[in-house]
Amino acid sequence: MTRAPTETVTEQAETGRTRWGVFLAILAVPTLVVAALIALLVAWFFTDDSVASDVKKTSCSEALAFGGAKLPAGTRDTWCGLTAGPEPRYEARFLMPRGEIDAWVAATFPHGPGLRTTQCGDAQVDACVSAGPAAGRRASVQIDITHDSRKWSEVRFEAFTQ
């Protein structure tokens, strides 16, 4: 039987493959990359990745005694640490009354060196002391003083062997 040119032919619908599988495969790759980046970011936030990871907190009397000093009376916000390595390096940071700094430095180093306000290395430092190992002392000492306010100064004390 022949068909007339105006007769419509209905196509039978066959179940075939759709393109959703290809689309989902393409979409899965960037999704996995983003999920991995988020997991790495979360892991980075919750790990201790400080620069000074080998610094252990120690007593301030031990840290200052290594450089032949004592913690001055009236200090606050003290923190002291010991850097691990072949040679010990003690650090101390504290606030002390600004008017007592000269007396503390003079008592710590009775035969010099004195407090200086030039050649301190850092433009933010207001005064400093550098002392090599003297008789009775085991270590060199570097003290940087930054005036925090009219009444308080921040003292950074480092004692180390060379």
Side-chain angles (χ1 to χ4, degrees), residues 2 9 25 27 40 48 63 96 98 108 118 148:
T2 60
V9 178
L27 190 62
L40 287 172
D48 181 23
M96 72 177 290
R98 186 173 177 173
T108 303
T118 59
D148 194 41

Side-chain angles (χ1 to χ4, degrees), residues 80-160:
C80 297
L82 169 64
T83 303
E87 299 293 330
R89 181 180 199 91
Y90 286 91
E91 300 175 46
R93 288 191 304 261
F94 53 88
L95 292 176
M96 72 177 290
R98 186 173 177 173
E100 298 175 11
I101 291 174
D102 291 328
W104 177 68
V105 170
T108 303
F109 306 105
H111 302 293
L115 197 60
R116 67 176 189 265
T117 57
T118 59
Q119 299 177 347
C120 289
D122 186 359
Q124 303 298 322
V125 173
D126 296 310
C128 61
V129 175
S130 296
R137 292 204 166 84
R138 301 181 340 190
S140 297
V141 174
Q142 175 67 40
I143 302 172
D144 292 328
I145 299 165
T146 307
H147 300 307
D148 194 41
S149 67
R150 287 181 162 191
K151 294 184 177 186
W152 294 96
S153 293
E154 179 186 8
V155 177
R156 289 184 306 271
F157 178 95
E158 290 186 36
F160 51 92

Side-chain angles (χ1 to χ4, degrees), residues 22-100:
V22 174
F23 177 74
L24 290 177
I26 292 172
L27 190 62
V29 171
T31 303
L32 291 173
V33 169
V34 169
L37 288 175
I38 290 172
L40 287 172
L41 186 66
V42 168
W44 180 65
F45 277 132
F46 289 108
T47 57
D48 181 23
D49 58 346
S50 62
V51 174
S53 61
D54 58 345
V55 175
K56 294 185 287 187
K57 193 170 182 178
T58 187
S59 71
C60 287
S61 60
E62 177 184 344
L64 290 164
F66 189 75
K70 293 182 181 175
L71 190 65
T75 60
R76 64 179 189 170
D77 298 336
T78 59
W79 179 90
C80 297
L82 169 64
T83 303
E87 299 293 330
R89 181 180 199 91
Y90 286 91
E91 300 175 46
R93 288 191 304 261
F94 53 88
L95 292 176
M96 72 177 290
R98 186 173 177 173
E100 298 175 11

